[in-house]
Amino acid sequence: MSYTTETYEADTAQLRQIDCDIIALDEKTLEAERRSYHTFFDVHVVQTEDGYILVEEADYGELPMHLIDQIVYTATGKMDDEF
């Protein structure tokens, strides 16, 4: 299989986009885990058209279905009332 310049550039651009998406998801996942230690509520990573955002259940009460459908990761709230 031989590559033409156009297909090689297209493949390279696609790989760069995938890498950027993976890095952005990893960063939001780590941020959700850090935030979960300071809350009673679950922290969700939600995929949007512009990237990823964090949504804490306490921020919005019951989450609307369009947000639930876009959740890609959930960090369970780890704060505990009992000492």
Side-chain angles (χ1 to χ4, degrees):
M1 179 175 175
S2 63
Y3 274 121
T4 64
T5 303
E6 293 82 21
T7 56
Y8 178 77
E9 289 174 358
D11 288 348
T12 304
Q14 184 176 5
L15 286 173
R16 285 187 186 127
Q17 180 62 36
I18 290 170
D19 289 345
C20 291
D21 288 345
I22 291 170
I23 291 169
L25 178 58
D26 284 346
E27 288 175 354
K28 284 299 179 182
T29 300
L30 290 173
E31 188 178 343
E33 284 295 332
R34 285 191 303 266
R35 189 170 170 181
S36 71
Y37 283 99
H38 305 283
T39 184
F40 297 104
F41 303 99
D42 293 344
V43 181
H44 305 287
V45 178
V46 178
Q47 185 174 15
T48 64
E49 294 172 359
D50 299 327
Y52 298 96
I53 61 170
L54 291 182
V55 176
E56 189 173 326
E57 285 186 6
D59 292 343
Y60 299 100
E62 188 174 330
L63 294 175
M65 189 56 76
H66 73 278
L67 281 180
I68 292 173
D69 291 339
Q70 297 176 346
I71 292 175
V72 293
Y73 181 79
T74 299
T76 306
K78 296 172 180 71
M79 196 167 184
D80 191 7
D81 270 345
E82 299 176 16
F83 291 85

